[in-house]
């Protein structure tokens, strides 16, 4: 029998003891430890061998864009312009260091997983109870558990008493799971294996004993560890687009440089001059400032997202968010408030709607839409009193609001009762508690005994089925005994269940004598049925708005949860993830993990796209869902808080961890962490991501006309034997200064109007759209004409070659300034977005103007850059040409905007 493929939950405990050669009273014999250790190894997670820090650093240079920059540095070095060479190398190093730091931080997920196993475990060996490090556990060890313990390995339970375990981090189940020891069907899903407890989950109540069946990499947590290691780390859409763009530029630049060399050879120029012209063309055509501006733009996006509750751990994730096409979100706490709330109270024949959300004890009680006074309804008072007194939890208020200390369900009952204005302290004085029967899964109820004047009364809350079986009568609205209509109650429960509500029943029993204690025998019969309270973890109102905005932006939202499918679908309808239809079956609108397991690969791919609600799914299924969506070129954002979410988060294009409820593993694996665990923050981050992508496109569409113009100037003069209007050092001056003081300021542009009313950028599309390419070519042609025009105008007016070149340099720079104002919006004019809405751009323009005045009139700069002072007439021509360039580009933009609007009509 293959030990690693056994469905332990499907075996009787006796069979397991036999398979593993142990027994519940004696445990493993010490004499067999060494032999078993050799067979099974240690209870620790394997660490994937990672690349060295040196290799990680060197990999930062393995990018086409960096190759271009290195070519530029070599070209500048060949021209013996050492300052410029080291400046370009500095840009390369800064980008490499930023990438190195970001990637080295992202390799801590498995270490965080392993840290959970470095604890002590209570085991029985040689018939003695001892404590050993969790890492030394072996299959066959007998482990004792109690409240507060972290489960040290995967155990098959053979004894438990009221054992409850929080498995949210592993399965996504938000409430503690009640455990038992009975055999379960082989196909039982992970979340429903109630006779098993799993490594790294937490015992919250009761006691139990189990036999270790899996350790280390074979545990469920170990399998997740392996999935994290094997999950693909995909290039971001930005990285893919920039890589394609860079490769294209490399070939274009090499082709043009080759053409320049051929032209020089045909003209019979000296080899030295030919080489200098080719290098000048390459230097002029390379956008040296692009990597730096990308980093600056992404960093500003990080800052803006942080102010909207989203912390970015990896810079490229900023832009990836803007390209997102599908958001897969957990339910509890992200889409919902993670605060159980009573929405309905069912008394004898009256359904009461309870307003208010969360644990805050404020809200009205309505019947048929009309507010009622609870104090005028004795039965309603009795139901709420039962929920308040038969309760071991507390509602506490702090600076952040109300929260529950104890069980979330009991917190909801406290809140609903306190909405009537009654105080717990006053009620406890009036009905002091005498005795308690705590909730036990075997009995499915909790009971408390209270004194009330000269008699005692027991209040009971529990499952509907259990309380109906022990109630003989019911109470009417006036607290009078009536026959219990079980059929009516069951129909009401079914009605609440179709809305995804969790229902608890309430009952009471009076005793005439001075009773001092209560037992299960007292609850077997004779109870009076009071009514029902139906509750749910309500949707976040802001999440409803955020999902609607996401749909407007043509982003699909899918719910992936560990909760039951009926509850998940009901919440999804309220959120707007799926359409609400009272006549449809809730369960048919979602799909479960068990159903996914039964599908073929093709059917699974169809389900990943067709369904928007996935319930009771396993970690491997979450990972498979993400991969399936990516197979169809979807850009997937995945949220998660538990260890079970980590593999899918790592596989997703953008992994999003919860800052409050999230485990260390998910935070270390994720690209982004939400500080408020709120879906609305994801939508806000997507919006900011789109703004970042827009600003990057603005920079590229602004800088490329300059590079094309400079390269074209060199090429044309080489082909036709003309005098160079620009020198290589002057080209470097233009490229370096304008990128820093002009181009970088576009990173501070505000988001375009209607940014969330358009579809995401398709992953397969080029970084530049067809209309943007046409605009770039138009700008390049206009600027090229302006440069040659200003250069020839100066020569025709009798200026020297240095003065003509100075005019050409200023024409390019001032042409860029006018283009900069036009590039501030991809669609709208400067008047719509506001001239002063980006003050950094205004400051950058003023600094650039001062620098151009310096290079034109300061003697030292004249000597270095071979420039000379100009008179007034060239300036008038340059400014006039700049206004003409701006006017033509704005006209082209308005025509394009008119055409796009006509298409939409």
């Amino acid at each position: 029998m293959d030990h690693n493929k056994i469905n332990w939950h499907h075996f009787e405990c006796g069979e397991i003891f036999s398979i593993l050669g142990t027994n519940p009273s004696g445990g493993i014999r010490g004499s067999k430890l060494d032999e078993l250790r050799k067979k099974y190894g240690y209870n620790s997670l394997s660490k994937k061998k990672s690349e060295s820090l040196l290799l990680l650093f060197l990999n930062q240079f393995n990018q086409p864009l960096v190759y271009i920059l290195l070519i530029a540095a070599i070209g500048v070095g060949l021209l013996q312009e050492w300052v410029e060479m080291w400046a370009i190398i500095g840009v390369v190093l800064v980008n490499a260091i930023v990438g190195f730091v970001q990637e080295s931080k992202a390799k801590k997920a498995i270490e965080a997983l392993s840290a959970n196993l470095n604890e002590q475990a209570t085991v029985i060996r040689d018939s003695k109870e001892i404590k050993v490090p969790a890492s030394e556990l072996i299959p066959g060890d007998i482990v004792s558990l109690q409240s507060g313990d972290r489960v040290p390995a995967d155990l098959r339970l053979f004894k438990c008493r009221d054992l409850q375990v929080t498995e949210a981090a592993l399965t996504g189940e938000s409430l503690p799971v009640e455990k038992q020891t009975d055999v379960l069907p082989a196909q039982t899903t992970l979340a429903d294996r109630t006779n098993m407890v799993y490594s790294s989950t937490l015992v919250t109540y009761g006691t139990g004993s189990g036999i270790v069946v899996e350790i280390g990499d074979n545990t469920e947590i170990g399998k997740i560890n392996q999935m994290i290691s094997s999950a693909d780390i995909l290039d971001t859409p930005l990285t893919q687009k920039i890589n394609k763009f860079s490769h294209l530029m490399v070939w274009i630049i090499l082709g043009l440089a080759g053409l320049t060399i051929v032209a020089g050879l045909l003209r019979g120029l000296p080899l030295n001059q030919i080489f200098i012209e080719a290098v000048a063309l390459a230097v002029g055509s390379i956008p040296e400032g692009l990597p730096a501006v990308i980093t600056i733009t992404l960093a500003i996006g990080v800052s803006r997202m942080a102010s909207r509750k989203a912390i970015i751990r990896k810079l490229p994730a900023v832009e990836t968010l803007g390209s997102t096409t599908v958001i897969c979100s957990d339910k509890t706490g992200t889409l919902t408030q993670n605060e159980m709330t009573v929405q309905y109270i069912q008394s004898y024949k009256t359904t009461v709607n309870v307003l208010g959300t969360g644990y805050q004890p404020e809200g009205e009680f309505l019947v048929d839409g009309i507010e009622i006074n609870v104090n005028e309804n004795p039965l309603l008072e009795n139901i709420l009193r039962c929920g308040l007194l038969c309760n071991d939890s507390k509602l506490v208020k702090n600076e952040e609001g109300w929260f529950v200390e104890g069980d979330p369900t009991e917190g909801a009952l406290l809140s609903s009762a306190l909405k009537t204005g009654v105080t717990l302290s006053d009620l406890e004085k009036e009905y002091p508690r005498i005795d308690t029967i705590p909730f036990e899964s075997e009995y499915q109820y909790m009971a408390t005994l209270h004194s009330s004047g000269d008699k005692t009364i027991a209040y009971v809350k529990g499952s509907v089925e259990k309380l109906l079986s022990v109630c003989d009568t019911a109470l009417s609205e006036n607290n009078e005994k009536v026959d219990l209509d079980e059929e009516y109650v069951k129909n009401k429960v079914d009605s609440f269940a179709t809305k995804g509500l969790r229902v608890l029943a309430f009952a009471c029993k009076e005793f005439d004598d001075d009773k001092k204690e209560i037992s299960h025998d007292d609850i077997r019969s004779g109870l009076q049925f009071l009514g029902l309270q139906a509750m749910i973890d309500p949707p976040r109102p802001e999440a409803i708005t955020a999902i609607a905005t996401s749909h407007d932006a043509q982003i699909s939202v899918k719910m992936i949860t560990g909760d039951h499918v009926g509850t998940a679908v009901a919440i999804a309808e309220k959120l707007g993830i799926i359409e609400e239809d009272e006549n449809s079956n809730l369960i048919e609108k979602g799909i479960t993990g068990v159903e996914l397991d039964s599908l073929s690969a093709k059917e699974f791919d169809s389900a990943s796209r067709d369904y928007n609600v996935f319930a009771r799914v396993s970690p491997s299924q979450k990972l498979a869902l993400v991969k399936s969506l990516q197979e169809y070129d979807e850009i997937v954002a995945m949220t998660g808080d538990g260890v079970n979410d980590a593999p899918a988060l790592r596989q997703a294009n953008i992994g999003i961890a919860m800052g409050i409820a999230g485990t260390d593993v998910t935070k270390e694996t994720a690209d982004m962490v939400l500080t408020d665990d709120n879906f609305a923050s994801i939508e806000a981050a997507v919006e900011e991501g789109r703004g970042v992508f827009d600003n990057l496109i603005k920079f590229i569409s602004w800088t490329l006309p300059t590079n094309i113009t400079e390269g074209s100037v060199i090429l044309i003069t080489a082909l036709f034997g003309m005098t160079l209007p620009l020198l290589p050092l002057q080209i470097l001056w233009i490229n370096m200064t304008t990128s820093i003081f002009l181009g970088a300021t576009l990173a501070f542009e505000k988001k375009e109007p209607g940014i969330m009313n358009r579809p995401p950028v398709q992953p397969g599309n080029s970084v530049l759209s067809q209309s943007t390419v046409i605009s770039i070519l138009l700008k390049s042609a206009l600027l090229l004409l302006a440069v040659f025009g200003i250069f020839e105008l100066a020569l025709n007016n009798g200026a020297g070659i240095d003065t003509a070149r100075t005019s050409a340099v200023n024409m390019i720079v001032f042409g860029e300034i006018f283009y900069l104002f036009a590039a501030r919006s991809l669609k709208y004019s400067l008047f719509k977005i506001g001239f002063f809405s980006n003050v950094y751009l205004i400051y950058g323009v003023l600094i650039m103007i001062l620098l151009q005045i310096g290079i034109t009139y300061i003697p030292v700069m004249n000597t270095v850059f071979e420039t000379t002072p100009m008179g007034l007439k060239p300036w008038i021509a340059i400014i006039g040409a700049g206004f003409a360039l701006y006017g033509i580009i704005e006209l082209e933009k308005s025509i394009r905007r008119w055409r796009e609007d006509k298409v939409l009509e």
Side-chain angles (χ1 to χ4, degrees):
M1 183 178 292
D2 187 347
H3 175 270
N4 296 329
K5 295 182 179 179
I6 297 177
N7 290 319
W8 297 108
H9 58 276
H10 186 51
F11 278 72
E12 293 283 357
C13 293
E15 293 180 82
I16 298 175
F17 290 133
S18 176
I19 292 170
L20 297 177
T22 187
N23 65 81
S25 59
I28 293 175
R29 294 198 303 271
S31 59
K32 296 183 65 177
L33 283 176
D34 290 340
E35 176 189 342
L36 293 172
R37 181 81 63 218
K38 289 178 182 178
K39 180 179 179 181
Y40 296 114
Y42 283 89
N43 182 31
S44 58
L45 303 181
S46 299
K47 294 184 180 180
K48 184 180 179 182
K49 187 176 180 181
S50 59
E51 61 188 7
S52 67
L53 292 178
L54 176 61
L55 187 59
L56 185 63
F57 180 71
L58 292 177
N59 277 339
Q60 305 305 314
F61 299 93
N62 188 24
Q63 303 173 40
L65 199 59
V66 173
Y67 299 157
I68 295 176
L69 286 175
L70 291 175
I71 291 170
I74 292 169
V76 175
L78 292 172
L79 295 173
Q80 297 186 354
E81 302 297 340
W82 310 117
V83 175
E84 288 80 2
M85 183 189 77
W86 286 111
I88 296 173
I89 290 174
V91 169
V92 173
L93 286 173
V94 167
N95 282 284
I97 291 169
V98 169
F100 170 74
V101 171
Q102 290 295 327
E103 288 191 26
S104 60
K105 283 182 178 179
K107 296 186 176 294
K108 298 178 181 177
I110 294 174
E111 294 173 13
L113 262 175
S114 298
N116 282 337
L117 300 180
N118 296 330
E119 299 183 2
Q120 296 285 311
T122 302
V123 302
I124 296 175
R125 287 181 181 170
D126 290 327
S127 302
K128 296 179 182 178
E129 187 174 88
I130 59 173
K131 285 189 177 292
V132 299
S135 60
E136 295 183 7
L137 289 177
I138 298 173
D141 265 325
I142 305 301
V143 176
S144 300
L145 299 171
Q146 62 182 8
S147 181
D149 285 349
R150 189 175 294 278
V151 180
D154 287 3
L155 312 179
R156 169 64 162 92
L157 295 169
F158 62 85
K159 182 172 68 176
C160 63
R161 179 175 175 80
D162 304 329
L163 185 66
Q164 295 183 18
V165 179
T166 297
E167 297 180 338
L170 185 64
T171 66
E173 175 63 64
S174 55
L175 296 174
V177 179
E178 298 170 17
K179 295 296 181 177
Q180 52 87 36
T181 60
D182 295 338
V183 174
L184 295 171
Q187 67 273 20
T188 305
T189 60
L190 183 69
D192 296 317
R193 294 174 191 170
T194 52
N195 59 6
M196 299 282 297
V197 288
Y198 294 102
S199 177
S200 295
T201 58
L202 189 66
V203 178
T204 58
Y205 190 79
T207 60
S209 296
I211 179 172
V212 175
V213 291
E214 302 288 2
I215 61 171
D217 289 340
N218 292 325
T219 63
E220 292 299 326
I221 210 80
K223 294 172 186 175
I224 290 172
N225 170 45
Q226 292 171 335
M227 283 189 282
I228 293 174
S229 300
S230 62
D232 300 325
I233 303 175
L234 305 177
D235 284 339
T236 68
L238 177 65
T239 305
Q240 294 170 352
K241 288 180 172 65
I242 292 296
N243 281 344
K244 290 180 182 178
F245 176 68
S246 301
H247 278 111
L248 179 63
M249 286 201 65
V250 167
W251 288 111
I252 290 174
I253 292 168
L254 290 176
L256 293 176
L259 190 59
T260 303
I261 292 171
V262 170
L265 290 172
L266 292 175
R267 286 164 50 210
L269 296 176
L271 290 177
N272 184 55
Q273 184 178 344
I274 293 173
F275 181 71
I276 292 297
E277 286 184 351
V279 170
L281 183 143
V283 170
S285 302
I286 294 170
E288 292 93 341
L290 183 56
V293 171
I294 287 176
T295 302
I296 291 169
T297 305
L298 294 177
I300 291 169
V302 167
S303 176
R304 288 177 173 175
M305 288 182 184
S307 67
R308 301 186 74 171
K309 310 295 185 183
I311 305 299
I312 299 296
R313 295 186 65 251
K314 301 173 186 176
L315 273 183
V318 178
E319 183 277 332
T320 308
L321 278 162
S323 304
T324 298
T325 59
V326 178
I327 300 175
C328 297
S329 178
D330 189 20
K331 177 180 72 70
T332 305
T334 307
L335 294 170
T336 64
Q337 299 182 34
N338 200 19
E339 295 181 354
M340 294 296 287
T341 305
V342 173
Q343 292 194 337
Y344 297 96
I345 300 174
Q346 182 65 46
S347 57
Y348 175 57
K349 295 289 183 181
T350 305
T351 304
V352 181
N353 184 204
V354 185
L355 302 186
T357 57
Y359 295 130
Q360 186 173 357
E362 294 181 7
E364 293 76 41
F365 296 81
L366 308 179
V367 175
D368 297 327
I370 301 173
E371 185 176 354
I372 63 167
N373 185 348
V374 175
N375 298 324
E376 296 176 357
N377 188 319
L379 178 56
L380 193 55
E381 276 189 307
N382 219 346
I383 296 170
L384 292 168
R385 186 186 305 124
C386 180
L388 189 63
L389 293 175
C390 188
N391 200 311
D392 284 332
S393 298
K394 292 182 180 179
L395 272 187
V396 181
K397 185 180 182 181
N398 60 17
E399 295 178 356
E400 298 180 358
W402 291 85
F403 68 96
V404 64
E405 288 183 352
D407 184 77
T409 300
E410 291 193 332
L413 300 177
L414 291 173
S415 176
S416 65
L418 296 178
K419 287 175 182 178
T420 64
V422 68
T423 64
L424 180 59
S425 57
D426 288 345
L427 207 58
E428 286 177 337
K429 289 177 183 177
E430 188 177 351
Y431 296 88
R433 185 185 293 192
I434 301 170
D435 195 17
T436 304
I437 299 177
F439 179 86
E440 294 182 41
S441 55
E442 179 183 352
Y443 294 99
Q444 293 294 309
Y445 63 77
M446 172 185 177
T448 53
L449 184 65
H450 303 264
S451 64
S452 176
D454 57 355
K455 58 186 177 181
T456 55
I457 184 170
Y459 282 116
V460 185
K461 74 169 189 288
S463 70
V464 177
E465 295 80 3
K466 183 63 179 180
L467 263 61
L468 284 177
S469 70
V470 296
C471 287
D472 300 333
T473 59
L475 288 181
S476 70
E477 310 296 344
N478 298 320
N479 265 1
E480 297 175 350
K481 286 185 181 182
V482 294
D483 292 334
L484 175 59
D485 189 345
E486 288 192 27
E487 194 64 30
Y488 177 83
V489 174
K490 289 177 180 177
N491 287 338
K492 278 297 178 182
V493 170
D494 291 340
S495 173
F496 290 139
T498 60
K499 298 176 182 178
L501 296 163
R502 183 183 184 189
V503 183
L504 282 181
F506 300 85
C508 66
K509 183 177 183 179
E510 292 186 359
F511 302 92
D512 294 329
D513 57 339
D514 188 17
K515 198 172 180 61
K516 296 299 183 184
E517 60 182 30
I518 189 170
S519 68
H520 291 296
D521 289 337
D522 297 315
I523 309 298
R524 292 187 191 281
S525 63
L527 273 69
Q528 295 174 334
F529 190 82
L530 297 176
L532 310 170
Q533 292 198 55
M535 64 196 73
I536 199 168
D537 181 9
R540 289 179 181 263
E542 61 272 27
I544 297 173
T545 304
I547 288 170
T549 304
S550 298
H551 287 163
D552 289 341
Q554 297 184 35
I555 298 172
S556 174
V557 179
K558 296 180 183 292
M559 178 194 290
I560 302 179
T561 178
D563 216 332
H564 294 281
V565 64
T567 303
V569 170
I571 291 293
E573 285 188 336
K574 290 181 171 64
L575 287 162
I577 291 176
I578 55 178
E579 292 184 8
E580 197 163 359
D581 183 358
E582 293 182 0
N583 298 319
S584 66
N585 187 330
L586 283 183
I587 295 177
E588 292 176 354
K589 293 185 176 182
I591 189 167
T592 66
V594 172
E595 292 169 324
L596 287 173
D597 271 341
S598 66
L599 301 179
S600 65
K602 186 176 181 180
E603 290 170 334
F604 187 96
D605 288 339
S606 297
S608 71
R609 288 173 292 137
D610 295 341
Y611 285 93
N612 285 335
V613 177
F614 301 85
R616 312 296 274 184
V617 292
S618 68
S620 59
Q621 288 171 334
K622 289 186 180 184
L623 181 61
L625 284 169
V626 173
K627 285 184 175 181
S628 175
L629 291 168
Q630 289 171 336
E631 284 291 323
Y632 290 89
D633 292 330
E634 301 286 4
I635 302 298
V636 182
M638 173 79 185
T639 76
D641 54 10
V643 175
N644 63 320
D645 298 318
L649 260 62
R650 186 172 175 84
Q651 175 69 38
N653 301 89
I654 175 80
I656 305 170
M658 303 297 111
I660 299 173
T663 60
D664 289 341
V665 179
T666 51
K667 291 175 187 176
E668 290 295 337
T669 306
D671 303 288
M672 182 175 87
V673 179
L674 300 183
T675 59
D676 60 354
D677 293 8
N678 193 336
F679 182 88
S681 298
I682 302 174
E683 182 273 324
V686 169
E687 187 177 332
E688 293 295 342
R690 289 191 173 192
V692 165
F693 185 78
D694 279 358
N695 289 346
L696 288 174
I697 297 301
K698 290 172 188 176
F699 173 79
I700 293 172
S701 65
W702 168 82
T703 192
L704 283 187
T706 304
N707 297 116
I708 292 172
T709 297
E710 292 168 344
S712 299
V713 165
I714 304 296
L715 181 63
I716 290 170
T717 54
L719 290 175
F720 297 101
M722 301 167 61
T723 303
L724 275 175
L726 299 168
L727 297 175
L729 190 57
Q730 293 170 345
I731 291 173
L732 274 172
W733 164 266
I734 293 169
N735 289 356
M736 299 301 286
T737 55
T738 56
S739 290
I740 295 170
F741 297 108
L742 298 182
T745 62
L746 288 170
F748 295 93
E749 282 297 330
K750 295 180 180 179
K751 295 183 291 294
E752 297 265 334
I755 197 168
M756 291 298 282
N757 293 327
R758 67 189 194 210
V761 177
Q762 292 302 309
N765 290 1
S766 170
V767 69
L768 299 175
S769 65
Q770 183 179 358
S771 60
T772 305
V773 171
I774 292 171
S775 177
I776 288 171
L777 294 176
L778 175 62
K779 291 175 185 176
S780 303
L782 292 172
L783 189 56
L784 183 64
L785 290 172
V787 169
F788 273 116
I790 291 294
F791 180 72
E792 292 297 329
L793 179 64
L795 291 177
N796 292 337
N797 287 337
I801 188 64
D802 287 347
T803 304
R805 283 174 174 159
T806 304
S807 299
V809 169
N810 280 304
M811 182 66 251
I812 287 185
V813 171
F814 277 85
E816 285 193 86
I817 289 173
F818 280 99
Y819 279 168
L820 186 70
F821 284 104
R824 290 185 59 192
S825 173
L826 299 171
K827 185 175 181 179
Y828 300 102
S829 70
L830 183 63
F831 303 102
K832 182 174 178 64
I833 64 174
F835 187 84
F836 295 103
S837 59
N838 184 351
V839 294
Y840 298 101
L841 184 140
I842 303 299
Y843 293 147
V845 168
L846 293 175
I847 292 171
M848 197 65 234
I849 290 173
L850 290 175
L851 289 174
Q852 285 309 112
I853 291 172
I855 198 175
T856 305
Y857 295 105
I858 295 175
V860 174
M861 298 186 76
N862 292 154
T863 303
V864 173
F865 293 99
E866 298 183 46
T867 56
T868 57
M870 300 190 317
L872 181 61
K873 286 184 179 179
W875 283 115
I876 293 174
I878 289 168
I879 301 301
F883 273 110
L885 294 175
Y886 176 79
I888 293 171
I889 295 305
E890 284 295 338
L891 178 62
E892 181 269 337
K893 197 158 57 172
S894 64
I895 292 171
R896 178 158 36 96
R897 184 170 62 247
W898 176 78
R899 285 178 177 172
E900 289 174 357
D901 291 341
K902 290 290 287 183
V903 170
L904 292 175
E905 290 176 4

